[in-house]
Amino acid sequence: MSEAQTVRLTYEDGARAVELARESVESYVLHGQREQPGSMRDAFYARTGAFVRIRSTRGRGRLRGCAGAYRGNDQLGHAIVDAAIQAASENSCGSEIEQPELSNLTISVCVVCDYTQTDRPLDDIELGTHGVVVDKDDSHGWLYPTIPVENGWNEEQFLTHACRKAGLSPLAWQDEDTTVTLFDGQVFRERADGGSVEELN
């Protein structure tokens, strides 16, 4: 893999990334404003992609929002802010996050360390290390590196679910006109019990 500006975060960087995502969600929900990263850690100046996922801690922990991109021209700090706001908006999972929910959410950030396109996804995917992005025509879907491990999926199931998320047929990843991109990402997440941030991979 060599198509991205390679970046690797320390635990402290990752914890700050999650904190920044949380601040961005709260600023957007409470005030309708875009949080500014402020004085950023050195790693946050790297130009790479980031994803943010927001889950409810209530019930079965349903997904409340997810957004981001595996590549971009923005510095990482700004990419995290933008992904967090998009994840909290009504354009993500159908309904905007509201103020009473803020204390019942866990937020995770996936920072893209590297990415590459592949013509042999079944051979190239490393479960738990690689996230996957599927593009075909105007359809686009992505899944975090940790998701197949959380759900006990194999490589084919991982690709199938990414296609479904993109609104494509489950086997669209096999089509010649479908682009499959694998990204190596670090995932950091708030603990549901309110403890310190954990790194998942």
Side-chain angles (χ1 to χ4, degrees):
M1 291 191 177
S2 58
E3 296 180 25
Q5 180 176 344
T6 303
V7 60
R8 181 65 60 173
L9 267 60
T10 64
Y11 172 80
E12 290 75 17
D13 289 334
R16 175 56 189 148
V18 173
E19 182 181 45
L20 178 58
R22 163 69 69 172
E23 291 169 355
S24 301
V25 168
E26 292 180 348
S27 180
Y28 174 75
V29 172
L30 296 175
H31 309 294
Q33 296 177 345
R34 183 187 189 279
E35 180 76 7
Q36 295 301 320
S39 179
M40 296 195 297
R41 304 179 73 89
D42 288 348
F44 288 15
Y45 288 100
R47 296 186 184 277
T48 190
F51 299 92
V52 172
R53 292 176 80 214
I54 305 171
R55 300 190 72 89
S56 172
T57 58
R58 299 196 165 196
R60 298 177 63 185
R62 73 186 179 104
L63 185 66
R64 285 297 286 117
C66 59
Y70 68 90
R71 61 182 176 184
N73 295 320
D74 281 341
Q75 294 169 338
L76 175 59
H78 293 282
I80 292 168
V81 171
D82 290 341
I85 291 172
Q86 291 170 23
S89 75
E90 62 183 352
N91 296 326
S92 180
C93 287
S95 64
E96 188 165 291
I97 289 173
E98 298 181 350
Q99 181 175 346
E101 296 180 78
L102 290 174
S103 61
N104 299 305
L105 300 173
T106 57
I107 295 176
S108 65
V109 175
C110 177
V111 174
V112 177
C113 303
D114 213 347
Y115 66 86
T116 189
Q117 291 183 7
T118 176
D119 295 324
R120 301 183 307 157
L122 280 183
D123 295 329
D124 292 342
I125 286 177
E126 294 180 33
L127 295 177
T129 297
H130 291 146
V132 66
V133 182
V134 177
D135 290 290
K136 183 177 182 180
D137 301 324
D138 294 326
S139 299
H140 175 80
W142 58 268
L143 291 172
Y144 262 33
T146 52
I147 290 179
V149 178
E150 293 169 8
N151 291 282
W153 297 342
N154 61 26
E155 291 85 353
E156 188 164 351
Q157 289 171 314
F158 192 21
L159 291 162
T160 294
H161 280 86
C163 290
R164 286 179 173 153
K165 186 175 179 185
L168 300 169
S169 74
L171 298 179
W173 60 272
Q174 298 178 356
D175 298 343
E176 288 187 4
D177 56 348
T178 298
T179 301
V180 178
T181 303
L182 305 180
F183 64 90
D184 177 2
Q186 287 177 277
V187 180
F188 299 88
R189 181 179 68 187
E190 293 176 330
R191 296 179 190 269
D193 61 5
S196 59
V197 169
E198 58 184 337
E199 183 174 3
L200 298 183
N201 60 336

